[in-house]
Amino acid sequence: MSYQGTTFTLNTGAKIPGIGFGTWQDKEAQEDAVYEAIKAGYRHIDTARVYGTESGVAAGVKKAGVPREELFIVTKLWNNAHHPDDVEKQLDASLKDLNTDYVDLYLMHWPSAFARSDELFPKEGDKTKTGDTDYVDTWHAMEKMQQKGKAKAIGVSNFSKSELERLLSKANTKPAAHQMEMHPYLAQKSFSDFHKENDIHITHYSPFGNQNAIYSSGQDIGKLIDDPVLVEVGKKYGKNGAQVALAWGLAKGHTVIPKSKTPARIKANLEGDFKLDAEDVAKVDGVDKKLRFNDPSGTFGWKFYSDLEGKQ
Ligand code: NDP
């Protein structure tokens, strides 16, 4: 097996596996998918309150029978629970569904609050009802969750540079990680450098770019994993384009969290953990199209990524 088991170190001192397993979509398939993933060798699972996959993850973990301390489990606070009085309640619900006392990393899924509600998507007419909780106040409530030991580390997701700078200026605890859309078609070099300078670890979501069928804006161009440059680079190592996209992320010092419900792909994606030569990293750098596929600005009532690369 060519899986190297790459890990990185967070600013908390904890290790985070370089390849994690995504669990957004295909809710019913996740118990089996997570079981397959752990059996194949994944030790990092990514979920979120809004995915509805936390209990499927727990069932897959249980079936795999790996001790809790060998796993790195990530979940995310959803936008309906940004109010400081709601954060612990939602984390407790996640922990219950995940059948664990703690998560290794707890992320604020988006900077944008919805109205306080038991509904994940509170409505005002046919629009999402937005809230006015400042993400800085939400962050302070998350800091308390880390102090209580319910989250070993805390971080953010989908923040712009100015939002992150503002958070850094007010935080008592610096985010350990930032999970964001990043792949060879959206490389965001300077934003990536900014994280290195601030010792904030990056996780690439949608590491295969427009492979996720939900991304309508990515349907009329060729798939990232079929890009001739990635395919050609892969030939040198006996790897496919998908594996090259993952290895490229690892070469940047980032974590990647591919999702698949297909056992053969689950195994193959783990073999994306291999070392790309510098010249090949540079070739893959060259395919950047500054294309972003995930932007819910229209539905969440928030202008996301305002200072970042990626066509809006
Ligand atoms: P990915 O880039 O992981 O792509 C997933 C898609 O690619 C699925 O359709 C899957 O199909 C297919 N696929 C997987 N492996 C291969 C392969 N080797 N060859 C060809 N096709 C393949 O997309 P996601 O958007 O799911 O991102 C990964 C994870 O990141 C999510 O599951 C989630 O955990 C996280 N995420 C976080 C977000 C956030 O806001 N923080 C936003 C988006 C994602 P199949 O399953 O049928 O095999």
Side-chain angles (χ1 to χ4, degrees), residues 28-64:
E28 305 311 322
Q30 290 305 338
E31 174 178 347
D32 287 344
V34 168
Y35 168 68
E36 289 292 336
I38 294 174
K39 215 171 53 167
Y42 291 79
R43 289 294 178 269
H44 168 179
I45 316 288
D46 183 79
T47 182
R49 191 68 193 149
V50 74
Y51 301 165
T53 56
E54 290 170 321
S55 49
V57 168
V61 165
K62 191 169 177 200
K63 201 165 154 191

PDB file of all heavy atoms in Angstrom, residues 28-64:
ATOM      1  N   GLU A  28     -27.978   8.353   3.634  1.00  0.00           N
ATOM      2  CA  GLU A  28     -28.286   6.942   3.916  1.00  0.00           C
ATOM      3  C   GLU A  28     -27.083   6.032   3.681  1.00  0.00           C
ATOM      4  O   GLU A  28     -27.021   4.925   4.199  1.00  0.00           O
ATOM      5  CB  GLU A  28     -29.463   6.451   3.029  1.00  0.00           C
ATOM      6  CG  GLU A  28     -30.729   7.299   3.141  1.00  0.00           C
ATOM      7  CD  GLU A  28     -31.148   7.570   4.579  1.00  0.00           C
ATOM      8  OE1 GLU A  28     -30.999   6.657   5.417  1.00  0.00           O
ATOM      9  OE2 GLU A  28     -31.582   8.697   4.870  1.00  0.00           O
ATOM     10  N   ALA A  29     -26.136   6.499   2.877  1.00  0.00           N
ATOM     11  CA  ALA A  29     -24.975   5.657   2.530  1.00  0.00           C
ATOM     12  C   ALA A  29     -23.826   5.828   3.512  1.00  0.00           C
ATOM     13  O   ALA A  29     -22.826   5.099   3.440  1.00  0.00           O
ATOM     14  CB  ALA A  29     -24.497   6.014   1.115  1.00  0.00           C
ATOM     15  N   GLN A  30     -23.947   6.788   4.446  1.00  0.00           N
ATOM     16  CA  GLN A  30     -22.756   7.166   5.221  1.00  0.00           C
ATOM     17  C   GLN A  30     -22.299   6.129   6.246  1.00  0.00           C
ATOM     18  O   GLN A  30     -21.104   6.018   6.504  1.00  0.00           O
ATOM     19  CB  GLN A  30     -22.936   8.541   5.867  1.00  0.00           C
ATOM     20  CG  GLN A  30     -22.940   9.703   4.871  1.00  0.00           C
ATOM     21  CD  GLN A  30     -21.699   9.748   3.986  1.00  0.00           C
ATOM     22  OE1 GLN A  30     -20.649   9.206   4.313  1.00  0.00           O
ATOM     23  NE2 GLN A  30     -21.823  10.392   2.832  1.00  0.00           N
ATOM     24  N   GLU A  31     -23.228   5.366   6.817  1.00  0.00           N
ATOM     25  CA  GLU A  31     -22.779   4.341   7.785  1.00  0.00           C
ATOM     26  C   GLU A  31     -21.805   3.379   7.097  1.00  0.00           C
ATOM     27  O   GLU A  31     -20.693   3.141   7.579  1.00  0.00           O
ATOM     28  CB  GLU A  31     -23.980   3.576   8.354  1.00  0.00           C
ATOM     29  CG  GLU A  31     -23.531   2.423   9.252  1.00  0.00           C
ATOM     30  CD  GLU A  31     -24.680   1.657   9.890  1.00  0.00           C
ATOM     31  OE1 GLU A  31     -25.825   2.141   9.855  1.00  0.00           O
ATOM     32  OE2 GLU A  31     -24.410   0.567  10.435  1.00  0.00           O
ATOM     33  N   ASP A  32     -22.224   2.879   5.937  1.00  0.00           N
ATOM     34  CA  ASP A  32     -21.363   1.933   5.205  1.00  0.00           C
ATOM     35  C   ASP A  32     -20.103   2.622   4.693  1.00  0.00           C
ATOM     36  O   ASP A  32     -19.012   2.051   4.727  1.00  0.00           O
ATOM     37  CB  ASP A  32     -22.119   1.344   4.006  1.00  0.00           C
ATOM     38  CG  ASP A  32     -23.165   0.347   4.455  1.00  0.00           C
ATOM     39  OD1 ASP A  32     -23.086  -0.105   5.619  1.00  0.00           O
ATOM     40  OD2 ASP A  32     -24.081   0.043   3.660  1.00  0.00           O
ATOM     41  N   ALA A  33     -20.269   3.860   4.207  1.00  0.00           N
ATOM     42  CA  ALA A  33     -19.111   4.579   3.639  1.00  0.00           C
ATOM     43  C   ALA A  33     -18.054   4.817   4.722  1.00  0.00           C
ATOM     44  O   ALA A  33     -16.855   4.600   4.497  1.00  0.00           O
ATOM     45  CB  ALA A  33     -19.561   5.904   3.029  1.00  0.00           C
ATOM     46  N   VAL A  34     -18.502   5.246   5.911  1.00  0.00           N
ATOM     47  CA  VAL A  34     -17.552   5.523   7.001  1.00  0.00           C
ATOM     48  C   VAL A  34     -16.897   4.216   7.460  1.00  0.00           C
ATOM     49  O   VAL A  34     -15.683   4.176   7.725  1.00  0.00           O
ATOM     50  CB  VAL A  34     -18.268   6.268   8.166  1.00  0.00           C
ATOM     51  CG1 VAL A  34     -17.411   6.316   9.421  1.00  0.00           C
ATOM     52  CG2 VAL A  34     -18.638   7.686   7.720  1.00  0.00           C
ATOM     53  N   TYR A  35     -17.679   3.160   7.512  1.00  0.00           N
ATOM     54  CA  TYR A  35     -17.114   1.854   7.869  1.00  0.00           C
ATOM     55  C   TYR A  35     -16.026   1.457   6.857  1.00  0.00           C
ATOM     56  O   TYR A  35     -14.915   1.072   7.229  1.00  0.00           O
ATOM     57  CB  TYR A  35     -18.241   0.810   7.920  1.00  0.00           C
ATOM     58  CG  TYR A  35     -17.749  -0.612   7.989  1.00  0.00           C
ATOM     59  CD1 TYR A  35     -17.086  -1.083   9.129  1.00  0.00           C
ATOM     60  CD2 TYR A  35     -17.919  -1.486   6.904  1.00  0.00           C
ATOM     61  CE1 TYR A  35     -16.609  -2.388   9.190  1.00  0.00           C
ATOM     62  CE2 TYR A  35     -17.452  -2.784   6.964  1.00  0.00           C
ATOM     63  CZ  TYR A  35     -16.795  -3.231   8.100  1.00  0.00           C
ATOM     64  OH  TYR A  35     -16.315  -4.512   8.141  1.00  0.00           O
ATOM     65  N   GLU A  36     -16.356   1.574   5.570  1.00  0.00           N
ATOM     66  CA  GLU A  36     -15.376   1.252   4.509  1.00  0.00           C
ATOM     67  C   GLU A  36     -14.125   2.121   4.640  1.00  0.00           C
ATOM     68  O   GLU A  36     -13.001   1.656   4.456  1.00  0.00           O
ATOM     69  CB  GLU A  36     -15.979   1.489   3.115  1.00  0.00           C
ATOM     70  CG  GLU A  36     -17.038   0.500   2.690  1.00  0.00           C
ATOM     71  CD  GLU A  36     -16.488  -0.913   2.458  1.00  0.00           C
ATOM     72  OE1 GLU A  36     -15.278  -1.044   2.177  1.00  0.00           O
ATOM     73  OE2 GLU A  36     -17.275  -1.859   2.583  1.00  0.00           O
ATOM     74  N   ALA A  37     -14.359   3.393   4.931  1.00  0.00           N
ATOM     75  CA  ALA A  37     -13.242   4.339   5.009  1.00  0.00           C
ATOM     76  C   ALA A  37     -12.302   3.975   6.157  1.00  0.00           C
ATOM     77  O   ALA A  37     -11.072   3.927   5.985  1.00  0.00           O
ATOM     78  CB  ALA A  37     -13.776   5.769   5.185  1.00  0.00           C
ATOM     79  N   ILE A  38     -12.874   3.697   7.316  1.00  0.00           N
ATOM     80  CA  ILE A  38     -12.022   3.372   8.473  1.00  0.00           C
ATOM     81  C   ILE A  38     -11.293   2.047   8.224  1.00  0.00           C
ATOM     82  O   ILE A  38     -10.094   1.921   8.513  1.00  0.00           O
ATOM     83  CB  ILE A  38     -12.856   3.337   9.770  1.00  0.00           C
ATOM     84  CG1 ILE A  38     -13.382   4.751  10.061  1.00  0.00           C
ATOM     85  CG2 ILE A  38     -12.027   2.822  10.948  1.00  0.00           C
ATOM     86  CD1 ILE A  38     -14.332   4.839  11.233  1.00  0.00           C
ATOM     87  N   LYS A  39     -12.015   1.098   7.630  1.00  0.00           N
ATOM     88  CA  LYS A  39     -11.400  -0.203   7.296  1.00  0.00           C
ATOM     89  C   LYS A  39     -10.219   0.006   6.332  1.00  0.00           C
ATOM     90  O   LYS A  39      -9.188  -0.636   6.436  1.00  0.00           O
ATOM     91  CB  LYS A  39     -12.463  -1.089   6.629  1.00  0.00           C
ATOM     92  CG  LYS A  39     -12.331  -2.547   6.976  1.00  0.00           C
ATOM     93  CD  LYS A  39     -13.530  -3.352   6.469  1.00  0.00           C
ATOM     94  CE  LYS A  39     -13.787  -3.129   4.989  1.00  0.00           C
ATOM     95  NZ  LYS A  39     -14.693  -4.044   4.334  1.00  0.00           N
ATOM     96  N   ALA A  40     -10.400   0.953   5.401  1.00  0.00           N
ATOM     97  CA  ALA A  40      -9.332   1.207   4.413  1.00  0.00           C
ATOM     98  C   ALA A  40      -8.138   1.917   5.043  1.00  0.00           C
ATOM     99  O   ALA A  40      -7.023   1.848   4.524  1.00  0.00           O
ATOM    100  CB  ALA A  40      -9.896   2.055   3.263  1.00  0.00           C
ATOM    101  N   GLY A  41      -8.354   2.647   6.146  1.00  0.00           N
ATOM    102  CA  GLY A  41      -7.230   3.323   6.807  1.00  0.00           C
ATOM    103  C   GLY A  41      -7.455   4.789   7.151  1.00  0.00           C
ATOM    104  O   GLY A  41      -6.593   5.422   7.749  1.00  0.00           O
ATOM    105  N   TYR A  42      -8.587   5.369   6.753  1.00  0.00           N
ATOM    106  CA  TYR A  42      -8.868   6.768   7.132  1.00  0.00           C
ATOM    107  C   TYR A  42      -9.022   6.835   8.652  1.00  0.00           C
ATOM    108  O   TYR A  42      -9.643   5.952   9.262  1.00  0.00           O
ATOM    109  CB  TYR A  42     -10.191   7.257   6.536  1.00  0.00           C
ATOM    110  CG  TYR A  42     -10.240   7.448   5.045  1.00  0.00           C
ATOM    111  CD1 TYR A  42     -10.392   6.361   4.186  1.00  0.00           C
ATOM    112  CD2 TYR A  42     -10.206   8.726   4.480  1.00  0.00           C
ATOM    113  CE1 TYR A  42     -10.483   6.531   2.810  1.00  0.00           C
ATOM    114  CE2 TYR A  42     -10.302   8.904   3.103  1.00  0.00           C
ATOM    115  CZ  TYR A  42     -10.438   7.798   2.278  1.00  0.00           C
ATOM    116  OH  TYR A  42     -10.539   7.963   0.909  1.00  0.00           O
ATOM    117  N   ARG A  43      -8.505   7.911   9.231  1.00  0.00           N
ATOM    118  CA  ARG A  43      -8.666   8.104  10.677  1.00  0.00           C
ATOM    119  C   ARG A  43      -9.239   9.483  10.989  1.00  0.00           C
ATOM    120  O   ARG A  43      -9.271   9.895  12.141  1.00  0.00           O
ATOM    121  CB  ARG A  43      -7.301   7.927  11.392  1.00  0.00           C
ATOM    122  CG  ARG A  43      -6.820   6.470  11.399  1.00  0.00           C
ATOM    123  CD  ARG A  43      -7.748   5.588  12.235  1.00  0.00           C
ATOM    124  NE  ARG A  43      -7.376   4.178  12.247  1.00  0.00           N
ATOM    125  CZ  ARG A  43      -7.820   3.254  11.387  1.00  0.00           C
ATOM    126  NH1 ARG A  43      -8.659   3.598  10.404  1.00  0.00           N
ATOM    127  NH2 ARG A  43      -7.463   1.991  11.502  1.00  0.00           N
ATOM    128  N   HIS A  44      -9.664  10.194   9.968  1.00  0.00           N
ATOM    129  CA  HIS A  44     -10.198  11.552  10.120  1.00  0.00           C
ATOM    130  C   HIS A  44     -11.523  11.600   9.370  1.00  0.00           C
ATOM    131  O   HIS A  44     -11.570  11.296   8.179  1.00  0.00           O
ATOM    132  CB  HIS A  44      -9.150  12.525   9.533  1.00  0.00           C
ATOM    133  CG  HIS A  44      -9.598  13.942   9.334  1.00  0.00           C
ATOM    134  ND1 HIS A  44      -8.742  14.906   8.846  1.00  0.00           N
ATOM    135  CD2 HIS A  44     -10.770  14.573   9.525  1.00  0.00           C
ATOM    136  CE1 HIS A  44      -9.380  16.059   8.766  1.00  0.00           C
ATOM    137  NE2 HIS A  44     -10.606  15.880   9.162  1.00  0.00           N
ATOM    138  N   ILE A  45     -12.589  11.932  10.095  1.00  0.00           N
ATOM    139  CA  ILE A  45     -13.925  11.981   9.491  1.00  0.00           C
ATOM    140  C   ILE A  45     -14.473  13.396   9.649  1.00  0.00           C
ATOM    141  O   ILE A  45     -14.456  13.965  10.741  1.00  0.00           O
ATOM    142  CB  ILE A  45     -14.916  11.013  10.197  1.00  0.00           C
ATOM    143  CG1 ILE A  45     -14.287   9.638  10.474  1.00  0.00           C
ATOM    144  CG2 ILE A  45     -16.220  10.901   9.413  1.00  0.00           C
ATOM    145  CD1 ILE A  45     -14.076   8.762   9.286  1.00  0.00           C
ATOM    146  N   ASP A  46     -14.994  13.936   8.542  1.00  0.00           N
ATOM    147  CA  ASP A  46     -15.562  15.283   8.547  1.00  0.00           C
ATOM    148  C   ASP A  46     -17.084  15.211   8.415  1.00  0.00           C
ATOM    149  O   ASP A  46     -17.598  14.630   7.462  1.00  0.00           O
ATOM    150  CB  ASP A  46     -15.010  16.099   7.368  1.00  0.00           C
ATOM    151  CG  ASP A  46     -15.535  17.523   7.383  1.00  0.00           C
ATOM    152  OD1 ASP A  46     -14.995  18.319   8.177  1.00  0.00           O
ATOM    153  OD2 ASP A  46     -16.498  17.824   6.646  1.00  0.00           O
ATOM    154  N   THR A  47     -17.787  15.807   9.384  1.00  0.00           N
ATOM    155  CA  THR A  47     -19.240  15.891   9.261  1.00  0.00           C
ATOM    156  C   THR A  47     -19.680  17.292   9.684  1.00  0.00           C
ATOM    157  O   THR A  47     -18.842  18.188   9.858  1.00  0.00           O
ATOM    158  CB  THR A  47     -19.943  14.765  10.072  1.00  0.00           C
ATOM    159  OG1 THR A  47     -21.353  14.847   9.887  1.00  0.00           O
ATOM    160  CG2 THR A  47     -19.625  14.811  11.554  1.00  0.00           C
ATOM    161  N   ALA A  48     -20.986  17.506   9.801  1.00  0.00           N
ATOM    162  CA  ALA A  48     -21.512  18.817  10.205  1.00  0.00           C
ATOM    163  C   ALA A  48     -22.937  18.603  10.677  1.00  0.00           C
ATOM    164  O   ALA A  48     -23.627  17.680  10.219  1.00  0.00           O
ATOM    165  CB  ALA A  48     -21.493  19.790   9.022  1.00  0.00           C
ATOM    166  N   ARG A  49     -23.391  19.475  11.597  1.00  0.00           N
ATOM    167  CA  ARG A  49     -24.765  19.358  12.100  1.00  0.00           C
ATOM    168  C   ARG A  49     -25.752  19.370  10.948  1.00  0.00           C
ATOM    169  O   ARG A  49     -26.701  18.607  10.905  1.00  0.00           O
ATOM    170  CB  ARG A  49     -25.052  20.518  13.070  1.00  0.00           C
ATOM    171  CG  ARG A  49     -26.334  20.339  13.850  1.00  0.00           C
ATOM    172  CD  ARG A  49     -26.220  19.177  14.825  1.00  0.00           C
ATOM    173  NE  ARG A  49     -27.493  18.768  15.390  1.00  0.00           N
ATOM    174  CZ  ARG A  49     -27.762  17.515  15.747  1.00  0.00           C
ATOM    175  NH1 ARG A  49     -26.855  16.551  15.624  1.00  0.00           N
ATOM    176  NH2 ARG A  49     -28.924  17.198  16.257  1.00  0.00           N
ATOM    177  N   VAL A  50     -25.515  20.247   9.974  1.00  0.00           N
ATOM    178  CA  VAL A  50     -26.487  20.430   8.893  1.00  0.00           C
ATOM    179  C   VAL A  50     -26.515  19.250   7.909  1.00  0.00           C
ATOM    180  O   VAL A  50     -27.497  19.076   7.202  1.00  0.00           O
ATOM    181  CB  VAL A  50     -26.229  21.762   8.138  1.00  0.00           C
ATOM    182  CG1 VAL A  50     -24.995  21.667   7.244  1.00  0.00           C
ATOM    183  CG2 VAL A  50     -27.452  22.212   7.356  1.00  0.00           C
ATOM    184  N   TYR A  51     -25.469  18.437   7.873  1.00  0.00           N
ATOM    185  CA  TYR A  51     -25.468  17.320   6.901  1.00  0.00           C
ATOM    186  C   TYR A  51     -26.453  16.220   7.295  1.00  0.00           C
ATOM    187  O   TYR A  51     -26.845  15.417   6.460  1.00  0.00           O
ATOM    188  CB  TYR A  51     -24.078  16.671   6.768  1.00  0.00           C
ATOM    189  CG  TYR A  51     -22.951  17.573   6.317  1.00  0.00           C
ATOM    190  CD1 TYR A  51     -21.622  17.169   6.467  1.00  0.00           C
ATOM    191  CD2 TYR A  51     -23.185  18.809   5.732  1.00  0.00           C
ATOM    192  CE1 TYR A  51     -20.571  17.976   6.072  1.00  0.00           C
ATOM    193  CE2 TYR A  51     -22.138  19.625   5.340  1.00  0.00           C
ATOM    194  CZ  TYR A  51     -20.834  19.206   5.520  1.00  0.00           C
ATOM    195  OH  TYR A  51     -19.783  19.997   5.136  1.00  0.00           O
ATOM    196  N   GLY A  52     -26.761  16.154   8.609  1.00  0.00           N
ATOM    197  CA  GLY A  52     -27.614  15.057   9.063  1.00  0.00           C
ATOM    198  C   GLY A  52     -26.894  13.721   9.023  1.00  0.00           C
ATOM    199  O   GLY A  52     -27.529  12.656   8.999  1.00  0.00           O
ATOM    200  N   THR A  53     -25.571  13.756   9.006  1.00  0.00           N
ATOM    201  CA  THR A  53     -24.816  12.498   8.870  1.00  0.00           C
ATOM    202  C   THR A  53     -24.070  12.117  10.155  1.00  0.00           C
ATOM    203  O   THR A  53     -23.319  11.139  10.163  1.00  0.00           O
ATOM    204  CB  THR A  53     -23.810  12.562   7.694  1.00  0.00           C
ATOM    205  OG1 THR A  53     -22.919  13.679   7.864  1.00  0.00           O
ATOM    206  CG2 THR A  53     -24.524  12.718   6.371  1.00  0.00           C
ATOM    207  N   GLU A  54     -24.276  12.881  11.240  1.00  0.00           N
ATOM    208  CA  GLU A  54     -23.508  12.576  12.458  1.00  0.00           C
ATOM    209  C   GLU A  54     -23.853  11.189  13.003  1.00  0.00           C
ATOM    210  O   GLU A  54     -22.958  10.445  13.440  1.00  0.00           O
ATOM    211  CB  GLU A  54     -23.756  13.654  13.517  1.00  0.00           C
ATOM    212  CG  GLU A  54     -23.118  14.996  13.120  1.00  0.00           C
ATOM    213  CD  GLU A  54     -23.528  16.159  13.999  1.00  0.00           C
ATOM    214  OE1 GLU A  54     -24.708  16.227  14.390  1.00  0.00           O
ATOM    215  OE2 GLU A  54     -22.685  17.026  14.286  1.00  0.00           O
ATOM    216  N   SER A  55     -25.132  10.808  12.971  1.00  0.00           N
ATOM    217  CA  SER A  55     -25.466   9.485  13.514  1.00  0.00           C
ATOM    218  C   SER A  55     -24.988   8.379  12.576  1.00  0.00           C
ATOM    219  O   SER A  55     -24.598   7.301  13.038  1.00  0.00           O
ATOM    220  CB  SER A  55     -26.953   9.364  13.825  1.00  0.00           C
ATOM    221  OG  SER A  55     -27.697   9.788  12.726  1.00  0.00           O
ATOM    222  N   GLY A  56     -24.976   8.635  11.281  1.00  0.00           N
ATOM    223  CA  GLY A  56     -24.413   7.660  10.325  1.00  0.00           C
ATOM    224  C   GLY A  56     -22.921   7.479  10.551  1.00  0.00           C
ATOM    225  O   GLY A  56     -22.394   6.364  10.502  1.00  0.00           O
ATOM    226  N   VAL A  57     -22.244   8.587  10.832  1.00  0.00           N
ATOM    227  CA  VAL A  57     -20.805   8.516  11.136  1.00  0.00           C
ATOM    228  C   VAL A  57     -20.603   7.658  12.386  1.00  0.00           C
ATOM    229  O   VAL A  57     -19.764   6.746  12.400  1.00  0.00           O
ATOM    230  CB  VAL A  57     -20.205   9.937  11.359  1.00  0.00           C
ATOM    231  CG1 VAL A  57     -18.813   9.873  11.959  1.00  0.00           C
ATOM    232  CG2 VAL A  57     -20.183  10.717  10.044  1.00  0.00           C
ATOM    233  N   ALA A  58     -21.407   7.926  13.425  1.00  0.00           N
ATOM    234  CA  ALA A  58     -21.257   7.162  14.677  1.00  0.00           C
ATOM    235  C   ALA A  58     -21.470   5.669  14.427  1.00  0.00           C
ATOM    236  O   ALA A  58     -20.722   4.834  14.953  1.00  0.00           O
ATOM    237  CB  ALA A  58     -22.247   7.668  15.716  1.00  0.00           C
ATOM    238  N   ALA A  59     -22.467   5.336  13.600  1.00  0.00           N
ATOM    239  CA  ALA A  59     -22.754   3.921  13.336  1.00  0.00           C
ATOM    240  C   ALA A  59     -21.598   3.268  12.571  1.00  0.00           C
ATOM    241  O   ALA A  59     -21.214   2.127  12.859  1.00  0.00           O
ATOM    242  CB  ALA A  59     -24.057   3.801  12.554  1.00  0.00           C
ATOM    243  N   GLY A  60     -21.027   4.005  11.620  1.00  0.00           N
ATOM    244  CA  GLY A  60     -19.884   3.469  10.861  1.00  0.00           C
ATOM    245  C   GLY A  60     -18.662   3.280  11.745  1.00  0.00           C
ATOM    246  O   GLY A  60     -17.950   2.274  11.639  1.00  0.00           O
ATOM    247  N   VAL A  61     -18.448   4.231  12.643  1.00  0.00           N
ATOM    248  CA  VAL A  61     -17.309   4.158  13.580  1.00  0.00           C
ATOM    249  C   VAL A  61     -17.482   2.929  14.483  1.00  0.00           C
ATOM    250  O   VAL A  61     -16.548   2.158  14.696  1.00  0.00           O
ATOM    251  CB  VAL A  61     -17.215   5.454  14.431  1.00  0.00           C
ATOM    252  CG1 VAL A  61     -16.306   5.276  15.629  1.00  0.00           C
ATOM    253  CG2 VAL A  61     -16.749   6.628  13.563  1.00  0.00           C
ATOM    254  N   LYS A  62     -18.703   2.758  14.979  1.00  0.00           N
ATOM    255  CA  LYS A  62     -18.970   1.640  15.894  1.00  0.00           C
ATOM    256  C   LYS A  62     -18.716   0.305  15.193  1.00  0.00           C
ATOM    257  O   LYS A  62     -18.052  -0.588  15.743  1.00  0.00           O
ATOM    258  CB  LYS A  62     -20.426   1.728  16.371  1.00  0.00           C
ATOM    259  CG  LYS A  62     -20.726   0.799  17.511  1.00  0.00           C
ATOM    260  CD  LYS A  62     -22.072   1.107  18.118  1.00  0.00           C
ATOM    261  CE  LYS A  62     -22.353   0.091  19.217  1.00  0.00           C
ATOM    262  NZ  LYS A  62     -23.767   0.024  19.528  1.00  0.00           N
ATOM    263  N   LYS A  63     -19.210   0.206  13.973  1.00  0.00           N
ATOM    264  CA  LYS A  63     -19.060  -1.027  13.205  1.00  0.00           C
ATOM    265  C   LYS A  63     -17.581  -1.330  12.944  1.00  0.00           C
ATOM    266  O   LYS A  63     -17.156  -2.483  12.966  1.00  0.00           O
ATOM    267  CB  LYS A  63     -19.798  -0.847  11.873  1.00  0.00           C
ATOM    268  CG  LYS A  63     -20.171  -2.121  11.163  1.00  0.00           C
ATOM    269  CD  LYS A  63     -21.206  -1.779  10.098  1.00  0.00           C
ATOM    270  CE  LYS A  63     -21.186  -2.759   8.955  1.00  0.00           C
ATOM    271  NZ  LYS A  63     -21.980  -2.293   7.817  1.00  0.00           N
ATOM    272  N   ALA A  64     -16.802  -0.271  12.714  1.00  0.00           N
ATOM    273  CA  ALA A  64     -15.375  -0.458  12.405  1.00  0.00           C
ATOM    274  C   ALA A  64     -14.578  -0.866  13.650  1.00  0.00           C
ATOM    275  O   ALA A  64     -13.520  -1.484  13.544  1.00  0.00           O
ATOM    276  CB  ALA A  64     -14.794   0.822  11.805  1.00  0.00           C
TER     277      ALA A  64
END
